């Protein structure tokens, strides 16, 4: 018998956990810092309402209707579209290969925070710690292995016994820790400058790049393009109300991103650091920010623990996409399948782990090392392609009106059905197509 979520709350926390990951706590704050602050946030929220929520509902509805893995969901309605499910499985493989690399970095920093090694106020010295890690192959692979092992251990126990139970603990804990750090950040002198930067839009900062970056951040943050939400939706009971999940999950995802922004940006402003630091904000600037606070080392430990939780709630969802394919379509047993797939992804991730140090100059295609190739292949090609095809499939192949019948089959009335059908058939595909054109262009330019 196919496993199911034991409760609606369990599903929401697991699905939100999939969406809430390094993209919210690592990428969102530095994207705000490098894209004009409040202008970026405002555009992000508009895109979330118009595109993110409708697409989230489409993915969950497809999964709940078919009760199959992402591959089986497409195949059962139109076998010619089963390749979209295959893309989702492949995408999950490659994302988790480099995601587990960054997860390993976070584990290393958590250990370093506990030992007091990060209690340094000089960003240059912290930069040397990061560079030292990047040039330590044994430590990189060890921590990547530990992260992957933790992911496998949760997924081994299935949906209700593993993913749901873990999410019910990690998601509330993540929220509590993040709010504690945000409150601490707000008590610092000068923090209000960071709040103004975060929430007061400066319209002069809006450029096409800012708009595209906000659209991309919203799209990739919600974990839609790789089939996670289709897979998770397939474990829902037919009596569950799925209409509100299309709102609740994006709302939780955005709330975490905004609270992460409140936890980080005001503290960066208050203590005189640069919000536009970029990707190094979490690993170089933030430890310096914490070290500059009274009792900062405690907040540093708590912060990296919550990032571990965020990373794990996402990684288990990525692994489940592949596992559900083999269990549902190939009739394989969950335990050996999870162990084998987990090992394969770990091996696939080793070159990504070494790409910032020992294999830094080893370009696999063009100028891209393994880490960058995995990242750009998934972010620029597979994810937006999967999201675009999902939208076309639900809107035009399954038909949006049929999807509405599935949504209402649990006895609810979808009052905005007409608007949702219009968005999913016309507005969302056009918006994602714009992402696709830019993503494909950026990917192929990076190969030159």
């Amino acid at each position: 018998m196919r496993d199911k979520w034991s409760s609606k709350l369990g599903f929401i926390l697991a699905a939100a956990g999939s969406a809430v990951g390094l993209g919210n706590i690592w990428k969102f704050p530095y994207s705000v810092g490098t894209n004009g602050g409040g202008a970026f946030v405002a555009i992000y929220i508009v895109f979330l309402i118009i595109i993110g929520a409708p697409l989230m509902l489409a993915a969950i509805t497809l999964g709940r209707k078919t009760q199959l893995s992402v591959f089986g969901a497409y195949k059962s309605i139109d076998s010619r579209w089963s390749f979209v499910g295959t893309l989702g499985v492949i995408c999950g493989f490659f994302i988790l290969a480099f995601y587990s690399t960054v997860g390993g970095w976070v584990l290393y920093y958590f250990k370093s925070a506990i030992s007091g090694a990060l209690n340094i106020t000089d960003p240059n010295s912290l930069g040397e710690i990061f560079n030292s890690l990047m040039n330590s192959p044994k430590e990189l692979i060890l921590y990547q292995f530990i992260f992957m092992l933790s992911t496998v251990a949760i997924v081994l126990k299935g949906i209700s016994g593993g993913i749901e139970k873990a999410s019910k603990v990690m998601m509330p804990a993540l929220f509590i820790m993040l709010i504690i750090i945000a409150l601490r950040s707000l008590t610092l002198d000068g923090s209000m400058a960071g709040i103004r930067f975060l929430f007061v839009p400066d319209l002069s900062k809006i450029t096409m790049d800012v708009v595209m970056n906000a659209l991309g951040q919203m799209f990739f943050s919600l974990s839609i393009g790789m089939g996670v939400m289709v897979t998770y939706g397939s474990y829902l009971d037919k009596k569950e109300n799925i209409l509100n999940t299309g709102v609740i999950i994006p709302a939780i995802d955005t709330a975490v991103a905004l609270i992460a922004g409140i936890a980080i940006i005001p503290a960066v402003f208050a203590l005189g650091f640069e919000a536009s630091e970029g990707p190094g904000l979490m690993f170089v600037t933030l430890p310096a920010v914490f070290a500059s606070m009274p009792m900062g080392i405690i907040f540093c430990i708590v912060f990296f623990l919550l990032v571990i939780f965020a990373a794990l709630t996402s990684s288990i969802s990525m692994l489940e996409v592949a596992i559900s394919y083999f269990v549902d379509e190939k009739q394989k047993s969950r335990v050996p399948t999870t162990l084998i797939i987990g090992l394969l992804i770990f091996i696939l991730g080793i070159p990504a782990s070494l790409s910032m140090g020992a294999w830094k100059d080893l370009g696999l295609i063009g100028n891209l090392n393994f880490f960058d190739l995995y990242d750009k292949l998934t972010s620029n090609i597979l994810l937006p392609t999967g999201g675009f095809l999902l939208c076309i499939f639900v809107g035009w192949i399954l038909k949006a009106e049929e999807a509405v019948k599935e949504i209402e089959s649990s006895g609810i009335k979808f009052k905005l059905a007409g608007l949702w059908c219009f968005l999913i058939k016309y507005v969302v595909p056009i918006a994602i197509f714009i992402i696709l054109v830019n993503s494909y262009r950026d990917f192929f330019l990076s190969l030159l």
Side-chain angles (χ1 to χ4, degrees):
M1 183 178 175
R2 202 166 187 268
D3 203 354
K4 288 189 180 296
W5 306 107
S6 67
S7 67
K8 178 74 172 289
L9 176 64
F11 163 70
I12 289 174
L13 289 176
S18 170
V20 172
L22 294 173
N24 302 71
I25 297 171
W26 172 45
K27 192 175 181 183
F28 184 82
Y30 85 69
S31 293
V32 171
T34 55
N35 285 282
F40 175 88
V41 174
I43 295 168
Y44 175 89
I45 291 173
V46 169
F47 285 146
L48 180 88
I49 295 167
I50 296 173
I51 301 168
L55 199 55
M56 176 69 71
L57 181 58
I60 294 168
T61 301
L62 177 60
R64 212 275 298 269
K65 178 178 176 61
T66 60
Q67 301 280 289
L68 294 169
S69 70
V70 64
F71 178 87
Y74 286 98
K75 183 182 177 182
S76 67
I77 293 169
D78 189 331
S79 60
R80 293 171 298 179
W81 283 74
S82 59
F83 74 94
V84 184
T86 305
L87 281 179
V89 175
I90 294 170
C91 187
F93 258 80
F94 280 98
I95 289 184
L96 192 47
F98 79 84
Y99 199 92
S100 61
T101 294
V102 182
W105 302 350
V106 177
L107 286 174
Y108 175 85
Y109 267 73
F110 177 60
K111 183 267 295 183
S112 299
I114 291 174
S115 70
L118 299 182
N119 197 21
I120 301 169
T121 56
D122 178 21
N124 292 324
S125 298
L126 288 160
E128 290 173 9
I129 291 174
F130 185 73
N131 290 332
S132 175
L133 173 62
M134 293 303 103
N135 288 284
S136 304
K138 288 182 179 178
E139 285 191 298
L140 286 169
I141 294 171
L142 172 64
Y143 284 99
Q144 181 209 350
F145 176 77
I146 294 171
F147 182 83
M148 226 21 245
L149 187 63
S150 303
T151 302
V152 167
I154 295 170
V155 175
L156 270 176
K157 295 184 178 181
I159 295 299
S160 56
I163 294 174
E164 183 174 348
K165 277 188 177 178
S167 298
K168 280 182 173 178
V169 173
M170 289 192 287
M171 283 303 293
L174 186 154
F175 258 107
I176 291 166
M177 289 187 286
L178 196 55
I179 289 169
I180 289 169
I181 293 172
L183 291 173
R184 180 66 185 96
S185 178
L186 291 173
T187 62
L188 297 171
D189 290 337
S191 63
M192 285 303 106
I195 291 294
R196 285 191 294 273
F197 177 77
L198 187 61
F199 290 112
V200 179
D202 180 351
L203 299 183
S204 68
K205 300 284 188 182
I206 298 176
T207 65
M208 186 51 67
D209 279 346
V210 170
V211 171
M212 289 306 303
N213 288 338
L215 190 57
Q217 173 69 21
M218 179 283 304
F219 184 74
F220 301 129
S221 178
L222 292 178
S223 296
I224 296 172
M226 75 179 98
V228 168
M229 293 305 162
V230 176
T231 303
Y232 273 18
S234 75
Y235 296 115
L236 271 174
D237 193 278
K238 286 285 187 178
K239 70 177 186 293
E240 295 290 357
N241 177 354
I242 59 174
L243 180 58
N244 55 13
T245 59
V247 176
I248 293 172
I249 296 166
I252 292 174
D253 181 67
T254 304
V256 171
L258 291 175
I259 297 169
I262 295 169
I264 294 168
I265 301 292
V268 168
F269 269 77
L271 297 168
F273 293 96
E274 287 294 325
S276 58
E277 172 67 27
L281 187 65
M282 187 167 85
F283 294 107
V284 177
T285 305
L286 264 185
V289 169
F290 287 127
S292 302
M293 293 180 183
M295 297 177 65
I297 192 62
I298 295 173
F299 290 100
C300 189
I301 292 169
V302 170
F303 177 78
F304 281 105
L305 179 61
L306 79 85
V307 179
I308 290 170
F309 283 1
L312 278 173
T313 55
S314 291
S315 66
I316 57 180
S317 71
M318 296 176 209
L319 183 56
E320 182 59 32
V321 171
I323 301 308
S324 67
Y325 166 75
F326 286 100
V327 171
D328 286 357
E329 300 301 318
K330 304 298 182 183
Q331 306 301 310
K332 301 294 184 183
S333 174
R334 172 172 283 270
V335 172
T337 299
T338 305
L339 292 172
I340 293 168
I341 298 299
L343 179 61
L344 288 175
I345 293 174
F346 165 67
I347 293 169
L348 189 65
I350 289 174
S353 283
L354 302 178
S355 291
M356 304 297 178
W359 291 10
K360 181 171 59 178
D361 299 321
L362 184 61
L364 189 63
I365 298 178
N367 297 319
L368 299 178
N369 58 36
F370 281 92
F371 186 97
D372 291 336
L373 178 65
Y374 294 174
D375 184 8
K376 289 187 178 294
L377 176 65
T378 53
S379 298
N380 290 39
I381 301 294
L382 297 178
L383 275 175
T385 301
F388 179 73
L389 293 173
L390 166 69
C391 202
I392 297 297
F393 186 82
V394 172
W396 297 96
I397 307 301
L398 169 63
K399 302 213 180 292
E401 294 75 16
E402 283 298 312
V404 170
K405 290 179 183 177
E406 174 64 27
I407 293 167
E408 294 183 335
S409 66
S410 57
I412 59 165
K413 179 64 178 173
F414 190 2
K415 294 179 181 178
L416 297 176
L419 175 60
W420 181 78
C421 289
F422 176 76
L423 289 172
I424 213 71
K425 290 170 76 172
Y426 302 106
V427 177
V428 179
I430 291 170
I432 300 177
F433 184 74
I434 293 170
I435 296 177
L436 272 176
V437 171
N438 283 273
S439 294
Y440 274 64
R441 182 199 65 193
D442 291 346
F443 180 75
F444 288 111
L445 284 176
S446 69
L447 299 182
L448 300 177

